[in-house]
Amino acid sequence: MNWDWEKLRENQKKYEQKQGGGGPGMPTPPQMDDLLNKFKEFKFSGIFFVGIIIIVVLIGVSTVFTVGRSEVGVIQRFGKYTRLAQPGLNFKMPAGIEKVTKVNVRQVETEEFGFKTYNGGGSYPSSVESSKQDASLMLTGDLNVAVVPWIVQYRRSDPKAYLFNVKDVRSLLKDMSEATMRMVVGDRSINEVISSRAEIANVAKEMLQKEMNNAQAGIGIVNIEMKKTNVPEPVQDSFNEVNQATQKKEQTIYKAREDYNKAIPLARGEAKRLIKDAEGYAIDRVNRAQGDATKFKAIYDEYAKAKDVTRKRMYLEAMLEILPKLENKYIIDSDQKNLLPFLNMGAKLSGQTLQKGE
């Protein structure tokens, strides 16, 4: 069956006129054939494909990320915290939906107070910067002014608390470190501040960690190191003179204590020796007296048994002890009554001996 195309077109035009689409001044809507022809004529350019590839790559890159060994990734979804990402390869939603912030939890950070260390490794006194000088000037418990430089070493122990709980963690750490050190130094004398730096550092570390925990700043205090503590430069000469006088005073006291320790133990030892000698002498006298009493009692018991024999024996023993000590001995009759002829016998005998010697 053959179609009469011209007749069909005329009928289509009449239909369009009835519908109001083909009147004068009315635009004719595009035909399907024209649309298909234009669509066939349209060619995709290389720039379009490159753009699509770039978008896909950006989306893929924003969903994959890596976290270092010393880091922790904090992931936020539309700004709200959702989870932590551990070291290694991790995935998240594309950028604009989820955001990751990497926090180093192993690196030890340092804050200096009272001095500044430069890249060359040298450190300069607090007079280099007025703010640091103000931080190092402190009032001690005995109303002296001391220059106290120190270092605070810390680590980010809680990434979530470090990012979200405190707006400026570093400023908080500086302010609390200064307040803590002033409190610790204010309870001690200038000599204690200069000589007991390690003890002050330990107390300050405990107090500062407690304050950081109360503030939930996510900071862990690793160490507080006290640098050389001294007095301000304008009064340093006077302070040195006071220290020298104090040292001389202590030296004199130590010398006196040394002499005391030498003399007192010696005197105590001598006193103990005399006491021991006296106690020994008393024990000896008592023992001798007890021995003599025992001996006398034994003699008396024997004497009571045989008085004559014991009396003669005692007499002979006494003579045996006395006679050897006498130089000249004269034995006379017990019945002799006139002793005058014997008085000068010793002198005569000695004179005769001298004459014979001549």
Side-chain angles (χ1 to χ4, degrees):
M1 179 178 180
N2 296 326
W3 295 93
D4 191 353
W5 292 103
E6 293 180 357
K7 189 176 182 179
L8 289 173
R9 288 181 178 176
E10 290 178 359
N11 293 331
Q12 184 177 1
K13 288 180 180 180
K14 292 178 180 180
Y15 177 78
E16 289 176 355
Q17 290 177 358
K18 290 180 180 181
Q19 296 295 328
M26 297 294 292
T28 302
Q31 302 299 318
M32 184 63 65
D33 295 338
D34 296 335
L35 293 175
L36 291 174
N37 291 332
K38 289 182 179 180
F39 184 76
K40 289 179 181 179
E41 291 175 359
F42 180 78
K43 295 181 180 180
F44 292 99
S45 64
I47 298 176
F48 181 74
F49 286 107
V50 172
I52 293 176
I53 293 173
I54 291 175
I55 293 173
V56 172
V57 171
L58 291 176
I59 293 175
V61 170
S62 64
T63 57
V64 180
F65 65 97
T66 58
V67 179
R69 291 183 299 177
S70 61
E71 297 176 335
V72 172
V74 180
I75 300 177
Q76 299 169 256
R77 182 177 299 168
F78 297 113
K80 182 179 180 181
Y81 167 80
T82 57
R83 65 188 183 276
L84 293 177
Q86 299 302 321
L89 184 64
N90 295 271
F91 299 91
K92 68 177 184 65
M93 293 185 179
I97 300 176
E98 287 188 346
K99 174 186 175 182
V100 59
T101 304
K102 299 177 182 179
V103 179
N104 195 320
V105 295
R106 293 187 179 180
Q107 182 180 359
V108 177
E109 302 289 340
T110 300
E111 289 292 337
E112 299 173 344
F113 300 86
F115 70 99
K116 184 174 180 60
T117 303
Y118 293 91
N119 295 331
S123 60
Y124 294 84
S126 58
S127 58
V128 177
E129 298 181 2
S130 60
S131 61
K132 291 186 175 294
Q133 183 181 15
D134 294 339
S136 63
L137 291 176
M138 299 185 184
L139 187 66
T140 61
D142 54 356
L143 302 181
N144 284 302
V145 178
V147 179
V148 185
W150 77 97
I151 293 176
V152 176
Q153 296 177 337
Y154 65 94
R155 185 185 292 115
R156 301 174 183 90
S157 58
D158 188 347
K160 178 184 176 183
Y162 177 79
L163 291 177
F164 304 118
N165 290 349
V166 180
K167 182 178 181 181
D168 192 348
V169 178
R170 187 176 179 185
S171 297
L172 175 65
L173 177 63
K174 288 182 178 180
D175 295 338
M176 295 308 300
S177 298
E178 185 176 346
T180 301
M181 189 59 66
R182 290 185 183 277
M183 183 180 299
V184 175
V185 172
D187 292 337
R188 288 161 175 80
S189 64
I190 183 66
N191 292 328
E192 292 175 337
V193 173
I194 294 176
S195 60
S196 303
R197 292 183 294 175
E199 187 264 339
I200 293 176
N202 292 332
V203 174
K205 176 184 175 183
E206 295 178 359
M207 293 181 63
L208 181 58
Q209 183 64 69
K210 184 178 179 180
E211 295 298 332
M212 290 293 102
N213 294 339
N214 293 336
Q216 297 181 358
I219 292 295
I221 306 300
V222 177
N223 186 33
I224 293 182
E225 180 182 354
M226 300 286 294
K227 295 297 183 179
K228 184 178 180 180
T229 305
N230 210 330
V231 296
E233 187 174 356
V235 298
Q236 190 165 358
D237 294 337
S238 300
F239 183 76
N240 291 335
E241 292 179 359
V242 173
N243 285 337
Q244 291 177 359
T246 304
Q247 292 175 359
K248 187 175 181 180
K249 171 186 174 183
E250 293 178 352
Q251 184 179 2
T252 304
I253 293 174
Y254 291 149
K255 179 65 176 176
R257 289 179 178 175
E258 182 181 358
D259 296 338
Y260 173 85
N261 293 332
K262 287 181 179 179
I264 296 302
L266 183 63
R268 290 176 177 173
E270 183 66 19
K272 289 182 179 180
R273 187 185 66 81
L274 293 175
I275 292 173
K276 295 296 182 181
D277 290 344
E279 291 176 351
Y281 179 76
I283 293 173
D284 180 69
R285 293 291 295 176
V286 171
N287 291 337
R288 287 177 179 272
Q290 291 178 351
D292 293 342
T294 303
K295 180 180 178 182
F296 178 79
K297 187 174 181 301
I299 294 174
Y300 177 76
D301 292 338
E302 296 297 329
Y303 176 78
K305 295 178 181 179
K307 295 182 179 181
D308 295 337
V309 175
T310 303
R311 186 183 296 112
K312 289 180 180 180
R313 181 179 177 181
M314 292 174 63
Y315 174 77
L316 293 175
E317 289 178 354
M319 290 297 103
L320 184 62
E321 183 179 356
I322 293 173
L323 291 177
K325 298 178 181 181
L326 299 177
E327 295 181 356
N328 298 322
K329 305 176 183 64
Y330 303 101
I331 300 173
I332 59 176
D333 189 3
S334 60
D335 295 332
Q336 182 68 33
K337 296 180 180 180
N338 189 6
L339 300 178
L340 291 176
F342 297 97
L343 293 178
N344 295 327
M345 184 176 295
K348 291 181 179 180
L349 289 175
S350 61
Q352 293 177 359
T353 303
L354 290 173
Q355 290 178 358
K356 288 180 180 181
E358 293 178 351

